[in-house]
Amino acid sequence: GINAEYGGISFKKSQKQHRISLAMMRTVFMMLMLTTMIVESFMVIPKGKGSERWQKWAGKKTDKLIDDNVHEAIQVKHKPVSSGDPVSPVWPSEFNATLIKTNPNNANIVWTKLYYSWSTTPSESVSRFDFYNGYVTQTGDWSLNCSIIFAEKYIWHVFFDSQECLQEGPLPNISPDYVGLLGGVFKGYRSLRGLRTELWQFPDPDAPQNLLSYYALANDNSFPVRAPNQINDPGYTDFTDIMVGPQEQSNFQVPSFCRTRKTPNGCPPF
């Protein structure tokens, strides 16, 4: 494999596995807490009008070809603006990552775990966001607040403690090439968190007059470094501990109680 050090962050790559591990993660991101930030996209679905807004992020109202009935996505390759520019970022088809979501309007850091498995067959394309109440404890425990699961062509807001769910959709999974689908333009290279990154900018689907910034690892832009949130959810989301490879499919199973126990509340309730 290849090992390189970037200001306290180690990047390892092999045929079967990629990993970005963040040294002293908590210290670094306490410094980031007051700065401006899926993305999470992530790109979390806003309350109200969630379906309409998420379809924009997922590519339904862009040049991506999606059948209105089955949401069948067809991949499109986006060409560089000029011959010297890189091709727009495309996420790995399967990976998981730890996300650090911050908001400039409060002092909270939302720790999130993302599991992602993309397929052009809509029923097989799934992802999951676990939102935690705080950082992992010294004993390795996480306190889960709620989860968002993209499965069965729907979005499920799942509250495991109360065993209740909110269902939205039908809606497609996040497209791995959403940066290009939203018209992302390469704006050059930037140093971020000690990493050399590509900066991409695209219009906010909710407010096209505003540009959103997305950062990808320069020597392999399939690795996200920082993604913007939507205008009504200000801030940014940083990606760390990225692990590429097949995902545990049980993570994407919709709990049985979601069929009967409903709630009007969306996740996350922050």
Side-chain angles (χ1 to χ4, degrees):
I2 301 172
N3 295 282
E5 292 292 333
Y6 301 93
I9 300 174
S10 63
F11 171 67
K12 300 179 182 179
K13 181 178 179 181
S14 66
Q15 290 183 343
K16 294 184 178 179
Q17 177 175 299
H18 299 258
R19 180 177 177 88
I20 296 176
S21 60
L22 179 62
M24 300 178 67
M25 188 188 317
R26 297 183 68 183
T27 302
V28 173
F29 284 99
M30 285 300 291
M31 297 171 64
L32 289 172
M33 192 163 54
L34 299 179
T35 63
T36 309
M37 202 167 196
I38 98 169
V39 245
E40 28 57 85
S41 239
F42 220 41
M43 317 278 282
V44 175
I45 301 177
K47 294 181 180 178
K49 297 187 177 178
S51 300
E52 178 183 352
R53 287 172 174 165
W54 187 258
Q55 286 171 347
K56 296 178 183 178
W57 282 107
K60 185 170 178 60
K61 296 188 177 180
T62 66
D63 61 339
K64 185 170 187 155
L65 304 178
I66 299 181
D67 185 279
D68 285 335
N69 295 320
V70 297
H71 297 288
E72 182 175 0
I74 301 176
Q75 291 287 86
V76 238
K77 188 175 181 64
H78 296 271
K79 297 181 179 179
V81 176
S82 67
S83 58
D85 290 345
V87 175
S88 59
V90 179
W91 282 0
S93 59
E94 291 191 274
F95 73 98
N96 65 66
T98 300
L99 310 184
I100 296 92
K101 182 177 179 294
T102 65
N103 185 318
N105 298 329
N106 60 54
N108 295 329
I109 288 180
V110 179
W111 294 92
T112 308
K113 191 70 180 181
L114 164 64
Y115 304 90
Y116 184 80
S117 182
W118 170 259
S119 172
T120 54
T121 302
S123 61
E124 299 176 2
S125 188
V126 288
S127 60
R128 171 173 172 162
F129 295 83
D130 287 343
F131 296 89
Y132 293 93
N133 294 314
Y135 188 65
V136 61
T137 66
Q138 292 183 349
T139 58
D141 297 323
W142 287 68
S143 174
L144 182 64
N145 187 305
C146 58
S147 299
I148 291 178
I149 300 175
F150 288 74
E152 304 174 7
K153 305 180 191 177
Y154 286 85
I155 297 177
W156 306 83
H157 303 248
V158 183
F159 296 85
F160 287 95
D161 286 346
S162 61
Q163 295 198 337
E164 295 177 318
C165 292
L166 170 66
Q167 179 185 0
E168 284 196 306
L171 294 170
N173 193 11
I174 308 158
S175 172
D177 55 347
Y178 77 89
V179 173
L181 295 173
L182 291 174
V185 175
F186 177 64
K187 304 298 288 185
Y189 296 98
R190 301 289 189 275
S191 178
L192 181 66
R193 288 172 25 206
L195 295 165
R196 186 169 185 262
T197 65
E198 297 173 3
L199 170 60
W200 294 81
Q201 290 186 329
F202 50 86
D204 186 335
D206 293 325
Q209 70 276 14
N210 297 328
L211 289 177
L212 299 177
S213 296
Y214 177 98
Y215 298 83
L217 193 66
N219 63 338
D220 186 345
N221 72 5
S222 67
F223 285 90
V225 176
R226 176 171 293 177
N229 298 337
Q230 296 169 326
I231 189 171
N232 62 335
D233 181 26
Y236 57 84
T237 296
D238 275 10
F239 288 69
T240 67
D241 296 326
I242 299 175
M243 299 291 295
V244 173
Q247 299 299 296
E248 175 54 58
Q249 291 303 301
S250 63
N251 287 328
F252 309 114
Q253 293 178 357
V254 178
S256 58
F257 59 77
C258 287
R259 314 298 178 182
T260 56
R261 295 177 58 86
K262 307 297 183 180
T263 176
N265 300 317
C267 171
F270 305 113

